[in-house]
Short mmCIF file of all heavy atoms in Angstrom, two decimals:
data_model
loop_
_atom_site.label_atom_id
_atom_site.label_comp_id
_atom_site.label_asym_id
_atom_site.label_seq_id
_atom_site.Cartn_x
_atom_site.Cartn_y
_atom_site.Cartn_z
N MET T 1 0.85 -1.15 -0.02
CA MET T 1 -0.09 -0.01 0.02
C MET T 1 0.87 1.30 -0.03
O MET T 1 1.85 1.33 0.78
CB MET T 1 -0.88 0.03 1.26
CG MET T 1 -1.67 1.38 1.42
SD MET T 1 -2.75 1.35 2.85
CE MET T 1 -1.49 1.64 4.09
N VAL T 2 0.56 2.17 -0.84
CA VAL T 2 1.25 3.46 -0.93
C VAL T 2 0.22 4.56 -0.69
O VAL T 2 -0.83 4.56 -1.22
CB VAL T 2 1.92 3.70 -2.31
CG1 VAL T 2 2.60 5.05 -2.33
CG2 VAL T 2 3.00 2.56 -2.57
N THR T 3 0.50 5.45 0.34
CA THR T 3 -0.27 6.58 0.47
C THR T 3 0.49 7.71 1.02
O THR T 3 1.59 7.54 1.58
CB THR T 3 -1.38 6.22 1.55
OG1 THR T 3 -2.36 7.31 1.58
CG2 THR T 3 -0.82 6.07 3.00
N ARG T 4 0.11 8.90 0.75
CA ARG T 4 0.81 10.10 1.27
C ARG T 4 0.57 10.25 2.76
O ARG T 4 -0.54 10.14 3.27
CB ARG T 4 0.25 11.37 0.58
CG ARG T 4 0.55 11.45 -0.87
CD ARG T 4 -0.11 12.71 -1.52
NE ARG T 4 -0.04 12.65 -2.88
CZ ARG T 4 0.87 13.32 -3.62
NH1 ARG T 4 1.72 14.17 -3.00
NH2 ARG T 4 0.90 13.26 -4.94
N LEU T 5 1.68 10.65 3.46
CA LEU T 5 1.57 10.75 4.90
C LEU T 5 0.60 11.88 5.23
O LEU T 5 -0.13 11.86 6.22
CB LEU T 5 2.90 10.97 5.59
CG LEU T 5 3.87 9.82 5.46
CD1 LEU T 5 5.22 10.15 6.09
CD2 LEU T 5 3.31 8.63 6.09
N SER T 6 0.56 12.88 4.43
CA SER T 6 -0.29 14.11 4.71
C SER T 6 -1.71 13.76 4.67
O SER T 6 -2.59 14.33 5.29
CB SER T 6 -0.01 15.17 3.71
OG SER T 6 -0.20 14.73 2.30
N LYS T 7 -2.16 12.61 4.01
CA LYS T 7 -3.52 12.21 4.03
C LYS T 7 -3.94 11.40 5.20
O LYS T 7 -5.08 11.28 5.52
CB LYS T 7 -3.84 11.33 2.71
CG LYS T 7 -3.72 12.13 1.47
CD LYS T 7 -4.31 11.31 0.31
CE LYS T 7 -4.26 12.07 -0.89
NZ LYS T 7 -5.55 12.46 -1.46
N ILE T 8 -2.89 11.06 6.05
CA ILE T 8 -3.20 10.27 7.22
C ILE T 8 -3.34 11.16 8.51
O ILE T 8 -4.08 10.91 9.42
CB ILE T 8 -2.08 9.24 7.47
CG1 ILE T 8 -2.05 8.18 6.33
CG2 ILE T 8 -2.25 8.52 8.78
CD1 ILE T 8 -0.90 7.25 6.36
N TYR T 9 -2.70 12.31 8.51
CA TYR T 9 -2.75 13.25 9.61
C TYR T 9 -4.22 13.65 9.98
O TYR T 9 -4.92 13.84 9.00
CB TYR T 9 -1.93 14.51 9.34
CG TYR T 9 -0.50 14.29 9.34
CD1 TYR T 9 0.29 14.45 8.22
CD2 TYR T 9 0.25 13.99 10.56
CE1 TYR T 9 1.67 14.25 8.20
CE2 TYR T 9 1.59 13.77 10.55
CZ TYR T 9 2.27 13.83 9.34
OH TYR T 9 3.68 13.68 9.35
N GLY T 10 -4.62 13.63 11.15
CA GLY T 10 -5.84 14.02 11.52
C GLY T 10 -6.99 12.94 11.54
O GLY T 10 -7.99 13.09 12.09
N LYS T 11 -6.61 11.78 10.93
CA LYS T 11 -7.68 10.75 10.81
C LYS T 11 -7.86 10.16 12.18
O LYS T 11 -7.00 10.02 12.97
CB LYS T 11 -7.10 9.61 9.85
CG LYS T 11 -7.22 9.90 8.42
CD LYS T 11 -7.02 8.63 7.59
CE LYS T 11 -7.11 8.94 6.11
NZ LYS T 11 -8.40 9.09 5.58
N GLN T 12 -9.10 9.84 12.37
CA GLN T 12 -9.51 9.18 13.72
C GLN T 12 -9.05 7.72 13.72
O GLN T 12 -9.02 7.08 12.66
CB GLN T 12 -10.95 9.27 13.97
CG GLN T 12 -11.42 10.67 13.99
CD GLN T 12 -13.07 10.80 14.37
OE1 GLN T 12 -13.72 9.74 14.16
NE2 GLN T 12 -13.37 11.91 14.77
N ILE T 13 -8.65 7.18 14.88
CA ILE T 13 -8.21 5.82 15.01
C ILE T 13 -9.16 5.08 15.93
O ILE T 13 -9.55 5.57 17.07
CB ILE T 13 -6.85 5.85 15.63
CG1 ILE T 13 -5.81 6.59 14.80
CG2 ILE T 13 -6.35 4.41 15.87
CD1 ILE T 13 -4.39 6.82 15.51
N TYR T 14 -9.65 3.91 15.43
CA TYR T 14 -10.53 3.09 16.26
C TYR T 14 -9.84 1.74 16.36
O TYR T 14 -9.11 1.32 15.36
CB TYR T 14 -11.89 2.94 15.55
CG TYR T 14 -12.75 4.09 15.70
CD1 TYR T 14 -12.64 5.18 14.81
CD2 TYR T 14 -13.69 4.19 16.65
CE1 TYR T 14 -13.40 6.33 14.99
CE2 TYR T 14 -14.49 5.38 16.84
CZ TYR T 14 -14.42 6.38 15.96
OH TYR T 14 -15.11 7.55 16.19
N ASN T 15 -10.19 0.89 17.37
CA ASN T 15 -9.68 -0.41 17.38
C ASN T 15 -10.80 -1.46 16.77
O ASN T 15 -11.90 -0.97 16.48
CB ASN T 15 -9.17 -0.88 18.80
CG ASN T 15 -10.30 -0.97 19.81
OD1 ASN T 15 -11.43 -1.05 19.48
ND2 ASN T 15 -9.96 -0.87 21.02
N THR T 16 -10.36 -2.67 16.73
CA THR T 16 -11.20 -3.69 16.10
C THR T 16 -12.44 -3.95 16.87
O THR T 16 -13.38 -4.69 16.44
CB THR T 16 -10.38 -4.97 15.71
OG1 THR T 16 -9.75 -5.38 16.84
CG2 THR T 16 -9.49 -4.69 14.64
N LYS T 17 -12.53 -3.52 18.19
CA LYS T 17 -13.67 -3.66 19.09
C LYS T 17 -14.66 -2.41 18.85
O LYS T 17 -15.59 -2.32 19.58
CB LYS T 17 -13.30 -3.85 20.50
CG LYS T 17 -12.67 -5.19 20.59
CD LYS T 17 -12.47 -5.52 22.08
CE LYS T 17 -11.83 -6.93 22.17
NZ LYS T 17 -12.27 -7.70 23.13
N GLY T 18 -14.31 -1.49 18.08
CA GLY T 18 -15.05 -0.28 17.79
C GLY T 18 -14.84 0.80 18.70
O GLY T 18 -15.58 1.87 18.70
N ASN T 19 -13.80 0.70 19.65
CA ASN T 19 -13.55 1.81 20.50
C ASN T 19 -12.64 2.95 19.90
O ASN T 19 -11.64 2.56 19.21
CB ASN T 19 -12.86 1.26 21.78
CG ASN T 19 -13.73 0.24 22.53
OD1 ASN T 19 -14.92 0.44 22.70
ND2 ASN T 19 -13.07 -0.81 22.96
N TYR T 20 -13.03 4.16 20.22
CA TYR T 20 -12.23 5.26 19.70
C TYR T 20 -10.82 5.29 20.44
O TYR T 20 -10.86 5.20 21.69
CB TYR T 20 -12.91 6.57 19.96
CG TYR T 20 -12.17 7.79 19.51
CD1 TYR T 20 -11.89 8.08 18.18
CD2 TYR T 20 -11.72 8.67 20.46
CE1 TYR T 20 -11.27 9.29 17.87
CE2 TYR T 20 -10.97 9.80 20.17
CZ TYR T 20 -10.81 10.18 18.82
OH TYR T 20 -10.09 11.21 18.47
N VAL T 21 -9.81 5.39 19.78
CA VAL T 21 -8.48 5.39 20.34
C VAL T 21 -7.89 6.82 20.43
O VAL T 21 -7.37 7.22 21.46
CB VAL T 21 -7.42 4.52 19.52
CG1 VAL T 21 -6.03 4.58 20.08
CG2 VAL T 21 -7.95 3.04 19.67
N GLY T 22 -8.04 7.56 19.31
CA GLY T 22 -7.58 8.91 19.25
C GLY T 22 -7.50 9.33 17.80
O GLY T 22 -8.25 8.85 16.91
N TYR T 23 -6.54 10.17 17.50
CA TYR T 23 -6.38 10.55 16.08
C TYR T 23 -4.93 10.81 15.77
O TYR T 23 -4.09 10.88 16.74
CB TYR T 23 -7.17 11.86 15.74
CG TYR T 23 -6.65 13.09 16.58
CD1 TYR T 23 -5.63 13.91 16.00
CD2 TYR T 23 -7.14 13.44 17.76
CE1 TYR T 23 -5.12 15.02 16.65
CE2 TYR T 23 -6.64 14.56 18.47
CZ TYR T 23 -5.67 15.37 17.90
OH TYR T 23 -5.17 16.45 18.59
N VAL T 24 -4.58 10.72 14.46
CA VAL T 24 -3.11 10.84 14.14
C VAL T 24 -2.68 12.23 14.27
O VAL T 24 -3.14 13.12 13.65
CB VAL T 24 -2.93 10.35 12.66
CG1 VAL T 24 -1.48 10.43 12.32
CG2 VAL T 24 -3.33 8.88 12.57
N ASP T 25 -1.77 12.51 15.17
CA ASP T 25 -1.16 13.75 15.46
C ASP T 25 0.24 13.93 14.82
O ASP T 25 0.67 14.95 14.47
CB ASP T 25 -1.17 14.05 16.95
CG ASP T 25 -0.49 15.34 17.35
OD1 ASP T 25 -1.01 16.35 16.77
OD2 ASP T 25 0.51 15.37 18.04
N GLU T 26 0.87 12.77 14.69
CA GLU T 26 2.26 12.75 14.29
C GLU T 26 2.52 11.33 13.69
O GLU T 26 1.94 10.30 14.06
CB GLU T 26 3.07 12.96 15.55
CG GLU T 26 4.53 13.48 15.12
CD GLU T 26 5.19 13.82 16.45
OE1 GLU T 26 4.64 13.90 17.54
OE2 GLU T 26 6.43 14.17 16.33
N ILE T 27 3.40 11.23 12.79
CA ILE T 27 3.87 9.87 12.20
C ILE T 27 5.46 9.92 12.36
O ILE T 27 6.13 10.93 11.89
CB ILE T 27 3.39 9.79 10.77
CG1 ILE T 27 1.91 9.75 10.77
CG2 ILE T 27 4.03 8.49 10.24
CD1 ILE T 27 1.38 9.77 9.36
N LEU T 28 5.97 8.88 12.94
CA LEU T 28 7.36 8.74 12.96
C LEU T 28 7.88 7.64 11.96
O LEU T 28 7.24 6.65 11.82
CB LEU T 28 7.84 8.31 14.41
CG LEU T 28 7.45 9.30 15.49
CD1 LEU T 28 7.87 8.72 16.79
CD2 LEU T 28 8.05 10.60 15.30
N ILE T 29 9.01 7.92 11.42
CA ILE T 29 9.66 6.82 10.52
C ILE T 29 10.89 6.45 11.12
O ILE T 29 11.84 7.27 11.28
CB ILE T 29 9.76 7.36 9.13
CG1 ILE T 29 8.44 7.73 8.49
CG2 ILE T 29 10.45 6.30 8.22
CD1 ILE T 29 8.53 8.40 7.11
N GLU T 30 11.00 5.19 11.43
CA GLU T 30 12.24 4.62 12.05
C GLU T 30 12.98 3.89 10.94
O GLU T 30 12.47 2.94 10.31
CB GLU T 30 11.85 3.68 13.17
CG GLU T 30 13.08 3.04 13.85
CD GLU T 30 12.62 2.03 14.96
OE1 GLU T 30 11.61 2.26 15.50
OE2 GLU T 30 13.39 1.10 15.08
N VAL T 31 14.20 4.27 10.68
CA VAL T 31 14.98 3.63 9.67
C VAL T 31 15.90 2.64 10.25
O VAL T 31 16.78 2.90 11.18
CB VAL T 31 15.81 4.69 8.87
CG1 VAL T 31 16.62 3.97 7.83
CG2 VAL T 31 14.94 5.76 8.27
N GLU T 32 15.70 1.42 10.03
CA GLU T 32 16.46 0.31 10.56
C GLU T 32 16.80 -0.64 9.42
O GLU T 32 15.87 -1.12 8.71
CB GLU T 32 15.53 -0.35 11.61
CG GLU T 32 16.21 -1.38 12.48
CD GLU T 32 15.17 -1.92 13.48
OE1 GLU T 32 14.91 -1.14 14.47
OE2 GLU T 32 14.60 -2.93 13.36
N ASP T 33 18.04 -0.98 9.27
CA ASP T 33 18.41 -1.89 8.21
C ASP T 33 17.97 -1.47 6.93
O ASP T 33 17.70 -2.28 6.03
CB ASP T 33 17.94 -3.28 8.50
CG ASP T 33 18.52 -3.84 9.89
OD1 ASP T 33 19.64 -3.44 10.21
OD2 ASP T 33 17.85 -4.66 10.56
N GLY T 34 17.91 -0.10 6.63
CA GLY T 34 17.55 0.31 5.29
C GLY T 34 16.02 0.31 4.95
O GLY T 34 15.65 0.62 3.88
N ARG T 35 15.26 -0.09 5.97
CA ARG T 35 13.78 -0.16 5.81
C ARG T 35 13.16 0.90 6.69
O ARG T 35 13.55 1.17 7.78
CB ARG T 35 13.26 -1.54 6.12
CG ARG T 35 13.76 -2.67 5.27
CD ARG T 35 13.15 -3.93 5.66
NE ARG T 35 13.64 -5.00 4.82
CZ ARG T 35 13.35 -6.23 4.81
NH1 ARG T 35 12.54 -6.64 5.81
NH2 ARG T 35 13.77 -7.07 3.94
N GLY T 36 12.02 1.42 6.25
CA GLY T 36 11.17 2.39 7.02
C GLY T 36 10.07 1.59 7.82
O GLY T 36 9.53 0.71 7.21
N ARG T 37 9.90 1.95 9.06
CA ARG T 37 8.82 1.45 9.77
C ARG T 37 8.10 2.59 10.37
O ARG T 37 8.62 3.40 11.07
CB ARG T 37 9.37 0.53 10.84
CG ARG T 37 8.21 -0.26 11.50
CD ARG T 37 8.79 -1.23 12.59
NE ARG T 37 8.90 -0.57 13.79
CZ ARG T 37 9.53 -0.90 14.83
NH1 ARG T 37 10.24 -1.99 14.79
NH2 ARG T 37 9.67 -0.21 15.92
N VAL T 38 6.83 2.61 10.09
CA VAL T 38 6.05 3.77 10.43
C VAL T 38 5.27 3.56 11.67
O VAL T 38 4.64 2.35 11.96
CB VAL T 38 5.02 4.12 9.29
CG1 VAL T 38 4.13 5.31 9.70
CG2 VAL T 38 5.66 4.35 8.03
N VAL T 39 5.19 4.52 12.65
CA VAL T 39 4.43 4.37 13.91
C VAL T 39 3.56 5.59 13.93
O VAL T 39 3.93 6.66 13.86
CB VAL T 39 5.41 4.34 15.07
CG1 VAL T 39 4.55 4.23 16.33
CG2 VAL T 39 6.29 3.22 15.09
N ALA T 40 2.25 5.37 14.05
CA ALA T 40 1.30 6.47 14.16
C ALA T 40 1.18 6.85 15.59
O ALA T 40 1.08 5.92 16.48
CB ALA T 40 -0.07 6.07 13.54
N LEU T 41 1.03 8.07 15.91
CA LEU T 41 0.90 8.50 17.32
C LEU T 41 -0.48 9.16 17.47
O LEU T 41 -0.87 10.05 16.70
CB LEU T 41 1.88 9.54 17.79
CG LEU T 41 3.33 9.03 17.83
CD1 LEU T 41 4.29 10.15 18.17
CD2 LEU T 41 3.51 7.96 18.83
N ALA T 42 -1.28 8.59 18.38
CA ALA T 42 -2.68 9.20 18.60
C ALA T 42 -2.65 10.12 19.80
O ALA T 42 -1.73 10.06 20.62
CB ALA T 42 -3.56 8.01 18.99
N LEU T 43 -3.60 10.99 19.87
CA LEU T 43 -3.57 11.97 20.85
C LEU T 43 -4.99 12.04 21.58
O LEU T 43 -5.74 12.92 21.26
CB LEU T 43 -3.27 13.39 20.36
CG LEU T 43 -2.98 14.45 21.35
CD1 LEU T 43 -1.65 14.28 22.13
CD2 LEU T 43 -2.98 15.85 20.70
N PRO T 44 -5.21 11.08 22.52
CA PRO T 44 -6.52 11.08 23.25
C PRO T 44 -6.34 11.77 24.57
O PRO T 44 -7.23 11.70 25.39
CB PRO T 44 -6.75 9.55 23.47
CG PRO T 44 -5.41 9.00 23.55
CD PRO T 44 -4.48 9.85 22.65
N GLY T 45 -5.40 12.61 24.75
CA GLY T 45 -5.21 13.32 25.99
C GLY T 45 -3.65 13.37 26.20
O GLY T 45 -3.05 14.34 26.78
N GLU T 46 -2.95 12.33 25.81
CA GLU T 46 -1.51 12.25 25.76
C GLU T 46 -1.14 11.46 24.57
O GLU T 46 -2.00 10.78 23.93
CB GLU T 46 -1.04 11.63 27.07
CG GLU T 46 -1.42 10.15 27.27
CD GLU T 46 -0.87 9.66 28.56
OE1 GLU T 46 -1.29 10.07 29.63
OE2 GLU T 46 0.10 8.81 28.56
N LYS T 47 0.07 11.60 24.18
CA LYS T 47 0.49 10.77 22.99
C LYS T 47 0.74 9.31 23.32
O LYS T 47 1.26 8.96 24.29
CB LYS T 47 1.84 11.41 22.42
CG LYS T 47 1.66 12.78 21.89
CD LYS T 47 2.81 13.27 21.09
CE LYS T 47 2.50 14.54 20.52
NZ LYS T 47 3.59 15.08 19.67
N VAL T 48 0.27 8.52 22.45
CA VAL T 48 0.34 7.01 22.65
C VAL T 48 0.74 6.53 21.33
O VAL T 48 0.34 6.70 20.30
CB VAL T 48 -1.16 6.47 22.85
CG1 VAL T 48 -1.11 4.93 22.97
CG2 VAL T 48 -1.74 7.04 24.13
N GLY T 49 1.83 5.67 21.42
CA GLY T 49 2.46 5.12 20.18
C GLY T 49 1.70 3.88 19.75
O GLY T 49 1.35 3.09 20.59
N ILE T 50 1.36 3.75 18.50
CA ILE T 50 0.77 2.58 17.89
C ILE T 50 1.80 2.04 16.85
O ILE T 50 1.90 2.70 15.77
CB ILE T 50 -0.57 2.98 17.27
CG1 ILE T 50 -1.53 3.60 18.29
CG2 ILE T 50 -1.25 1.74 16.65
CD1 ILE T 50 -2.77 4.23 17.74
N PRO T 51 2.38 0.91 17.11
CA PRO T 51 3.21 0.31 16.09
C PRO T 51 2.42 0.04 14.66
O PRO T 51 1.30 -0.31 14.80
CB PRO T 51 3.66 -0.98 16.63
CG PRO T 51 3.49 -0.84 18.10
CD PRO T 51 2.31 0.08 18.20
N TYR T 52 3.06 0.40 13.68
CA TYR T 52 2.38 0.26 12.32
C TYR T 52 1.87 -1.15 12.11
O TYR T 52 0.88 -1.39 11.44
CB TYR T 52 3.29 0.70 11.23
CG TYR T 52 2.54 0.89 9.87
CD1 TYR T 52 1.69 1.81 9.67
CD2 TYR T 52 2.70 -0.14 8.88
CE1 TYR T 52 0.96 2.00 8.51
CE2 TYR T 52 1.97 0.09 7.71
CZ TYR T 52 1.14 1.01 7.58
OH TYR T 52 0.51 1.08 6.42
N GLU T 53 2.57 -2.20 12.67
CA GLU T 53 2.17 -3.57 12.52
C GLU T 53 0.81 -3.84 13.10
O GLU T 53 0.15 -4.78 12.79
CB GLU T 53 3.22 -4.46 13.26
CG GLU T 53 4.57 -4.46 12.58
CD GLU T 53 5.41 -3.30 12.95
OE1 GLU T 53 5.14 -2.69 14.01
OE2 GLU T 53 6.35 -2.95 12.24
N GLN T 54 0.32 -2.95 13.97
CA GLN T 54 -0.93 -3.10 14.60
C GLN T 54 -2.06 -2.47 13.67
O GLN T 54 -3.35 -2.66 14.00
CB GLN T 54 -1.09 -2.37 15.96
CG GLN T 54 -0.12 -3.06 16.99
CD GLN T 54 -0.46 -4.48 17.26
OE1 GLN T 54 -1.68 -4.86 17.45
NE2 GLN T 54 0.52 -5.30 17.30
N VAL T 55 -1.71 -1.79 12.63
CA VAL T 55 -2.73 -1.22 11.83
C VAL T 55 -3.39 -2.28 10.97
O VAL T 55 -2.63 -2.97 10.22
CB VAL T 55 -2.10 -0.03 11.00
CG1 VAL T 55 -3.15 0.45 9.87
CG2 VAL T 55 -1.56 1.03 11.75
N VAL T 56 -4.61 -2.33 10.88
CA VAL T 56 -5.40 -3.32 10.12
C VAL T 56 -5.78 -2.69 8.81
O VAL T 56 -5.73 -3.39 7.80
CB VAL T 56 -6.65 -3.84 10.96
CG1 VAL T 56 -7.53 -4.80 10.10
CG2 VAL T 56 -6.24 -4.48 12.23
N ALA T 57 -6.29 -1.42 8.85
CA ALA T 57 -6.76 -0.83 7.62
C ALA T 57 -6.71 0.67 7.73
O ALA T 57 -6.81 1.24 8.87
CB ALA T 57 -8.26 -1.23 7.26
N ILE T 58 -6.54 1.33 6.58
CA ILE T 58 -6.52 2.86 6.53
C ILE T 58 -7.51 3.16 5.47
O ILE T 58 -7.41 2.68 4.28
CB ILE T 58 -5.14 3.33 6.23
CG1 ILE T 58 -4.02 3.05 7.21
CG2 ILE T 58 -5.23 4.92 6.02
CD1 ILE T 58 -2.66 3.43 6.90
N GLY T 59 -8.52 3.92 5.85
CA GLY T 59 -9.45 4.38 4.92
C GLY T 59 -9.99 5.78 5.43
O GLY T 59 -9.22 6.57 5.69
N ASP T 60 -11.32 5.91 5.59
CA ASP T 60 -11.88 7.14 6.16
C ASP T 60 -11.38 7.27 7.67
O ASP T 60 -11.32 8.37 8.18
CB ASP T 60 -13.37 7.17 6.05
CG ASP T 60 -13.90 7.26 4.70
OD1 ASP T 60 -13.21 7.76 3.83
OD2 ASP T 60 -15.03 6.85 4.47
N ILE T 61 -11.19 6.16 8.29
CA ILE T 61 -10.56 6.05 9.57
C ILE T 61 -9.44 5.12 9.55
O ILE T 61 -9.18 4.47 8.52
CB ILE T 61 -11.58 5.51 10.71
CG1 ILE T 61 -12.02 4.17 10.33
CG2 ILE T 61 -12.83 6.43 10.75
CD1 ILE T 61 -12.73 3.44 11.45
N ILE T 62 -8.69 5.03 10.66
CA ILE T 62 -7.62 4.05 10.73
C ILE T 62 -8.09 3.00 11.83
O ILE T 62 -8.50 3.30 12.90
CB ILE T 62 -6.30 4.68 11.12
CG1 ILE T 62 -5.85 5.70 10.07
CG2 ILE T 62 -5.23 3.61 11.51
CD1 ILE T 62 -4.63 6.39 10.44
N LEU T 63 -7.98 1.65 11.24
CA LEU T 63 -8.33 0.59 12.16
C LEU T 63 -7.18 -0.09 12.69
O LEU T 63 -6.35 -0.53 11.94
CB LEU T 63 -9.35 -0.28 11.44
CG LEU T 63 -10.03 -1.49 12.19
CD1 LEU T 63 -11.00 -0.92 13.20
CD2 LEU T 63 -10.69 -2.33 11.18
N VAL T 64 -7.09 -0.27 14.12
CA VAL T 64 -5.99 -0.98 14.74
C VAL T 64 -6.49 -2.14 15.50
O VAL T 64 -7.65 -2.15 15.89
CB VAL T 64 -5.18 -0.05 15.50
CG1 VAL T 64 -4.57 1.12 14.76
CG2 VAL T 64 -5.89 0.54 16.68
N LYS T 65 -5.55 -3.10 15.65
CA LYS T 65 -5.98 -4.34 16.53
C LYS T 65 -6.28 -3.88 17.89
O LYS T 65 -5.40 -3.05 18.51
CB LYS T 65 -4.80 -5.30 16.46
CG LYS T 65 -4.60 -6.01 15.15
CD LYS T 65 -3.51 -6.98 15.21
CE LYS T 65 -3.21 -7.52 13.80
NZ LYS T 65 -2.00 -8.39 13.87
N ALA T 66 -7.24 -4.45 18.55
CA ALA T 66 -7.49 -4.22 20.01
C ALA T 66 -6.37 -4.93 20.72
O ALA T 66 -5.79 -5.90 20.33
CB ALA T 66 -8.85 -4.79 20.32
N LYS T 67 -6.08 -4.42 22.00
CA LYS T 67 -4.96 -4.93 22.74
C LYS T 67 -5.09 -6.38 23.07
O LYS T 67 -3.99 -7.08 23.15
CB LYS T 67 -4.90 -4.15 24.09
CG LYS T 67 -4.39 -2.78 23.95
CD LYS T 67 -4.20 -2.13 25.28
CE LYS T 67 -3.66 -0.76 25.11
NZ LYS T 67 -3.40 0.03 26.41
N ASP T 68 -6.21 -6.99 23.26
CA ASP T 68 -6.30 -8.36 23.65
C ASP T 68 -6.51 -9.30 22.42
O ASP T 68 -6.89 -10.48 22.60
CB ASP T 68 -7.44 -8.52 24.61
CG ASP T 68 -8.78 -8.00 24.06
OD1 ASP T 68 -8.78 -7.53 22.94
OD2 ASP T 68 -9.85 -8.30 24.69
N GLU T 69 -6.21 -8.91 21.16
CA GLU T 69 -6.27 -9.79 20.08
C GLU T 69 -4.93 -10.37 19.76
O GLU T 69 -3.93 -9.90 19.88
CB GLU T 69 -6.71 -9.02 18.80
CG GLU T 69 -8.18 -8.63 18.89
CD GLU T 69 -8.63 -8.01 17.56
OE1 GLU T 69 -7.95 -7.90 16.59
OE2 GLU T 69 -9.72 -7.45 17.60
#
């Protein structure tokens, strides 16, 4: 999947149980072994890191795996 980072900023984040997590305030790119790994940061009161591997889908909202899955 290829998408512009600017299209992700401000999107609401929900988990797979339908709970609101926050919204994308910032995106970090960690360069490791020549590969980029993206981590979205939500802001529901404080910044919370969400590893990109937890992202299930990106559309009108961002869907992430619930913690107990």
Side-chain angles (χ1 to χ4, degrees):
M1 174 182 76
V2 175
T3 190
R4 293 177 189 258
L5 295 179
S6 61
K7 292 192 177 244
I8 297 174
Y9 289 114
K11 284 194 182 277
Q12 294 183 346
I13 301 171
Y14 286 83
N15 68 21
T16 50
K17 293 191 176 215
N19 297 319
Y20 177 72
V21 176
Y23 65 91
V24 177
D25 179 56
E26 200 173 354
I27 299 171
L28 301 177
I29 299 174
E30 180 182 327
V31 179
E32 189 175 284
D33 298 329
R35 296 180 178 183
R37 191 175 85 195
V38 180
V39 179
L41 293 176
L43 189 70
E46 61 182 72
K47 290 189 177 186
V48 177
I50 301 172
Y52 190 74
E53 293 81 19
Q54 297 296 317
V55 174
V56 175
I58 299 175
D60 292 337
I61 64 167
I62 295 178
L63 188 63
V64 297
K65 292 179 186 175
K67 287 185 179 182
D68 57 353
E69 287 188 11

